[in-house]
Structures are given as structure tokens and as C-alpha cells.
Amino acid sequence: MKIIEVKDYSEMSQKAAEYIIDKVCQNPNLKLGLATGGTPVGTYKNLIEDHEKNGTSYQNVTTFNLDEYIGLSGENKNSYRYFMDEKLFNHIDINKNNTNIPRGDSKDTEEECLRYESLLANYGGIDLQILGIGSNGHIGFNEPGTTFTSQTHVIKLASSTINANARFFNRIEEVPTKAITMGISTIMKSKEILLLVSGENKKDAMGKLLNGNVTESFPASVLKNHPCVTIIADKAAVSGLKSHCQ
Ligand code: GLP
């Protein structure tokens, strides 16, 4: 894992956007894996700014999001489909038909998991996957204990995840308790992974990632087994930890 330490959230967002733009310029047909949550919002803002100023085009890019809440349709403001449209897709020239997110309102969620996994396989997998990290080490919505062999599946959210994500909802009772998420093995099949980490509330997780063992009880630790991971982390999340891992 290569670690790039940056000053703050703003610099993380800028560097991450530059990284993605570079990949899109090298390969206009990029298959790009995307994440939600607070962490990538600034990155998406920078992508939009660059698209407006420099005309970087996403016409031939195909995107795959990591996860979606079960029970929320794309029109629901708290769905990850709505989030992605608002924060990125509506502001760049991407073809919406090329933006893929598990359907949280499918009647048969198990069937939807199979559909999503085979869709990814049919496209030949993801070139670059953007990831955030949960404070309990989750990636996508793969909570602690998820097997490293998992494919796209239904997951029951940990109470710490529900608490952490309640800030996006009016009331904690509105936070869905289940989600569809790419599995750990699905994520690990990506050719390249870019993990974004910001803020002091992620420092414990970063400590475990950098200095702990590879274990299913801390899902992000699996990234140590991937040949091409870059972490962009700000000082608040990583200072004092970095030297232990290099
Ligand atoms: C969410 C998402 C993850 C995200 C993580 C961290 O629940 N499912 O993909 O990386 O939790 O979120 P945040 O960036 O808001 O800290």
C-alpha cells in the first residue's frame, strides 16, 4: 500500500480528483468504482469543477457504485442513487445508462445481488475503485466478520454504522438496517484501489489498517493483500501512524 499524506480534507479531495482525472485521460473507457459517504464529496466537487473548466469527458466512462440501502428507491433523497446524481452525475457529461448502482428497491434483493455481480463480471471488472473506510473498518458496507470470499450480498448494518450514517437522515429510525454491497472479493478484483481517509474519527481505523493483522474482523485489512492500493489520508487521520508501516 502506498500512502500519500496530505494536509487536510481539501487537499485530499484535490489530490484524489487529480488521480481520477489522470486515469480517465489515460483511458476514456475507464470502469470506475465509486463510493458514497461524506469522504468523497469534495473529490466529486473537484471532478465537476475540472469538467467545467477543462472539459474532461466521462462520455465513455462506466461507473459501478459499491452499495445501496435496501428499501430506498432512487427518488429517495437518502438513497445512494440520489446522492450520486446530485453530487456528481448530474454535473458531468456521463451517460446515466452507464452508471450502475445496486437497486435498493428490488423485489428480490438476492436476485439483485446476483445481477450486479454478473454485470461487473460481464464488464470485465473495475479498473479503479474509490473507497472510504468506516470507523469500524468497513469497506463498502462489508461490516466486520464479512468473509473475504464474499461477492455482492445483502448485509445487516452494524449499529455503529447506523449511528454514523444517521447524520444524513432526519431521524435515526429512518436509517435502513440492511444494504446491498459489493463483497470483499468483488472489491479485491478491482485492478487498482484508491482509499480516501480524512479526519480524526478515522485515526483508530487507520492505526488498525496500517499496524494490525489481516483479519475478517477488520474488513479493510484485506487491502494489504491487494497489489495496487494507494491511500490518500490527511494529517488528522494518519499523523504519527505512518512511520510504523513503512
Ligand atoms: C458508508 C459507506 C461507505 C463509506 C463509509 C464511510 O456507510 N457505505 O462506502 O466509505 O461508510 O463514510 P464517511 O465517508 O461518511 O465517513
Side-chain angles (χ1 to χ4, degrees):
M1 297 190 299
K2 179 181 167 200
I3 302 174
I4 301 171
E5 185 179 327
V6 294
K7 194 168 58 151
D8 54 16
Y9 180 82
S10 162
E11 196 181 349
M12 179 200 74
S13 303
Q14 196 189 325
K15 284 256 180 309
E18 282 166 10
Y19 196 101
I20 297 167
I21 291 161
D22 197 42
K23 296 287 169 189
V24 173
C25 290
Q26 282 171 33
N27 176 10
N29 300 304
L30 194 76
K31 285 164 283 172
L32 180 61
L34 295 173
T36 51
T39 308
V41 171
T43 303
Y44 297 155
K45 267 193 192 140
N46 280 280
L47 292 182
I48 294 165
E49 268 172 40
D50 163 77
H51 170 72
E52 286 166 355
K53 271 194 213 139
N54 307 317
T56 304
S57 175
Y58 298 82
Q59 258 169 4
N60 297 312
V61 170
T62 304
T63 64
F64 298 90
N65 265 76
L66 285 164
D67 46 23
E68 178 62 281
Y69 288 116
I70 288 184
L72 303 191
S73 77
E75 285 88 55
N76 187 305
K77 290 199 167 151
N78 288 309
S79 71
Y80 285 163
R81 160 55 70 185
Y82 194 94
F83 174 103
M84 288 309 305
D85 285 347
E86 283 277 293
K87 307 284 184 213
L88 183 64
F89 299 150
N90 288 347
H91 313 284
I92 57 175
D93 65 344
I94 198 158
N95 179 345
K96 285 271 182 84
N97 294 329
N98 295 340
T99 65
N100 300 287
I101 303 183
R103 295 181 198 133
D105 59 348
S106 330
K107 285 208 176 74
D108 186 338
T109 48
E110 296 297 339
E111 187 62 37
E112 175 59 6
C113 294
L114 293 174
R115 183 196 70 83
Y116 203 67
E117 190 71 28
S118 62
L119 181 76
L120 280 159
N122 290 343
Y123 272 93
I126 289 167
D127 296 313
L128 171 64
Q129 175 67 56
I130 311 304
L131 286 184
I133 186 170
S135 43
N136 64 359
H138 73 228
I139 48 175
F141 265 135
N142 291 286
E143 300 287 20
T146 307
T147 62
F148 285 168
T149 53
S150 55
Q151 298 196 327
T152 303
H153 62 287
V154 171
I155 186 101
K156 189 174 175 305
L157 301 180
S159 50
S160 62
T161 301
I162 292 175
N163 287 333
N165 289 1
R167 69 191 197 275
F168 297 111
F169 293 76
N170 293 325
R171 294 179 311 131
I172 193 163
E173 293 75 22
E174 288 176 17
V175 185
T177 55
K178 286 182 176 177
I180 295 176
T181 181
M182 281 188 203
I184 305 258
S185 86
T186 324
I187 294 171
M188 288 292 280
K189 279 183 210 144
S190 311
K191 294 191 185 82
E192 195 178 343
I193 291 174
L194 179 63
L195 172 65
L196 307 180
V197 194
S198 170
E200 206 172 343
N201 61 331
K202 298 291 171 70
K203 195 161 181 173
D204 279 358
M206 279 307 283
K208 285 187 188 141
L209 173 59
L210 300 181
N211 303 317
N213 298 328
V214 175
T215 162
E216 289 179 348
S217 59
F218 192 78
S221 65
V222 76
L223 298 175
K224 289 182 174 179
N225 293 341
H226 192 284
C228 194
V229 174
T230 301
I231 304 173
I232 306 181
D234 68 10
K235 266 201 188 335
V238 84
S239 68
L241 299 172
K242 205 175 98 177
S243 56
H244 297 286
C245 74
Q246 288 185 329

